[in-house]
Amino acid sequence: FKKIIKLLLKKNIFLVIFNDNSKILIKNFINKKKNILIYPYATQTFFKDKNKSNYLVGVKYSVLKENKIKKDEKNDLKKIIISCGGADFKKLTLKIYNVLKKFKKIQIGIAIGPNFKKDEIEKILKLKNKKNIKIYQNLNNLSKVAYNYDLAIITSGLTKYELASIRMNFAVVSENEFFAKQHKPFAELKLGYVIGVYDDPNKFDTKISYMIKNYKKIFFRKKKKNLIDFNGAYRIIKQIKKRFISE
């Protein structure tokens, strides 16, 4: 990566880079005024001492495929979908399911990512014959399935941006303290509910159970904010065009 960046800088090529805030990039790349670094997440302001015109930072630069907004139906909680990313390296899917299964009237959807461990997939697939369970494998777009559910319980990856864009009710579980810290700026936007880090099974059970029992109070006390939309790509293109015109 370092060699490629240095080579491109020597050629004086206009560079646009996504999703990287590494020191090598900041030091060797972003001091060139015409280059752009796009970091489309709610984030701590580690860019504040640099030339801000080089950075397109924040949720308004999220590049999301346009989907219809989910209807704001203030009904009872009847259906929950669990999605723990592509790999679920902490094996949280079944841990979440084991909390939810005691709520007999709730229908549960489970998304299996493409990089789940084989033994974990086998355990999840054993649930498919239960009448209140539906299992999805290798979904390309969780939003399309999410419309059929009242609530999503997810891990703290990119799925939250996708769900926030359609104004879906969702709750986030962080796999560890590092992910919880990364999630904090997004949590401060109050677009979803924070379950917190999975550490103690009893505390985990208590937090999820509380959320389910207080569903309406938590998710419908305020009008949902429209902070994430589908215009990120257009904003980025506009900035690229501005730099070409000024050349």
Side-chain angles (χ1 to χ4, degrees):
F1 180 72
K2 292 178 185 179
K3 289 178 181 178
I4 292 170
I5 290 295
K6 287 177 181 178
L7 176 64
L8 293 174
L9 286 170
K10 284 180 182 177
K11 299 292 184 182
N12 202 30
I13 296 169
F14 175 36
L15 299 177
V16 180
I17 293 186
F18 273 83
N19 303 355
D20 197 314
N21 63 338
S22 60
K23 289 180 181 178
I24 182 65
L25 190 69
I26 301 297
K27 181 180 177 182
N28 292 302
F29 158 72
I30 213 63
N31 58 346
K32 304 289 184 179
K33 287 185 179 180
K34 66 179 181 178
N35 294 332
I36 303 174
L37 185 149
I38 302 163
Y39 203 74
Y41 313 115
T43 182
Q44 304 291 354
T45 55
F46 51 82
F47 301 99
K48 63 185 177 182
D49 297 326
K50 307 294 186 300
N51 178 2
K52 290 183 181 178
S53 65
N54 291 83
Y55 299 93
L56 306 182
V57 179
V59 295
K60 69 179 183 178
Y61 296 109
S62 295
V63 179
L64 297 164
K65 186 176 181 180
E66 186 165 3
N67 290 299
K68 64 182 180 180
I69 303 300
K70 192 176 188 307
K71 289 182 180 178
D72 197 8
E73 298 172 345
K74 300 181 182 180
N75 300 325
D76 293 331
L77 178 57
K78 296 177 182 177
K79 299 180 74 177
I80 299 175
I81 186 165
I82 304 166
S83 175
C84 294
D88 190 13
F89 69 94
K90 290 285 280 190
K91 299 185 177 181
L92 292 174
T93 300
L94 286 173
K95 293 180 176 74
I96 296 168
Y97 166 75
N98 286 331
V99 176
L100 298 183
K101 70 181 182 181
K102 66 184 179 183
F103 297 92
K104 304 297 183 184
K105 293 182 180 180
I106 291 179
Q107 295 180 50
I108 301 168
I110 299 176
I112 299 175
N115 299 311
F116 274 41
K117 297 289 186 185
K118 186 178 178 181
D119 63 327
E120 200 72 359
I121 293 173
E122 290 172 354
K123 289 176 186 176
I124 294 169
L125 290 177
K126 285 179 181 178
L127 303 172
K128 68 181 179 181
N129 293 325
K130 293 182 179 290
K131 64 179 181 179
N132 66 331
I133 302 288
K134 189 160 187 179
I135 295 170
Y136 306 89
Q137 284 190 267
N138 304 331
L139 287 172
N140 291 323
N141 187 344
L142 183 65
S143 296
K144 289 183 179 178
V145 173
Y147 294 119
N148 301 317
Y149 290 84
D150 305 305
L151 174 68
I153 299 178
I154 62 173
T155 45
S156 54
L158 300 179
T159 303
K160 61 196 177 193
Y161 293 90
E162 187 181 335
L163 295 180
S165 72
I166 64 168
R167 293 179 224 170
M168 172 79 186
N169 295 327
F170 64 93
V172 177
V173 180
S174 295
E175 295 93 329
N176 52 42
E177 292 293 343
F178 174 79
F179 283 100
K181 186 177 179 181
Q182 294 292 309
H183 176 63
K184 187 178 177 182
F186 183 92
E188 289 171 352
L189 298 177
K190 297 182 179 178
L191 299 173
Y193 182 73
V194 179
I195 294 172
V197 178
Y198 176 81
D199 45 17
D200 178 84
N202 293 325
K203 274 172 37 179
F204 190 62
D205 187 311
T206 300
K207 287 178 181 178
I208 292 179
S209 298
Y210 174 84
M211 176 187 66
I212 291 171
K213 291 171 184 175
N214 294 276
Y215 171 69
K216 286 187 177 180
K217 179 182 174 182
I218 290 169
F219 290 98
F220 298 108
R221 60 188 168 188
K222 290 181 182 178
K223 188 176 180 181
K224 291 184 177 68
K225 296 177 183 177
N226 186 21
L227 297 179
I228 300 177
D229 56 30
F230 308 108
N231 297 317
Y234 299 105
R235 294 186 185 104
I236 291 166
I237 291 166
K238 186 176 179 181
Q239 291 295 325
I240 291 172
K241 283 182 176 178
K242 273 175 65 177
R243 281 159 173 76
F244 273 117
I245 292 168
S246 64
E247 285 279 300

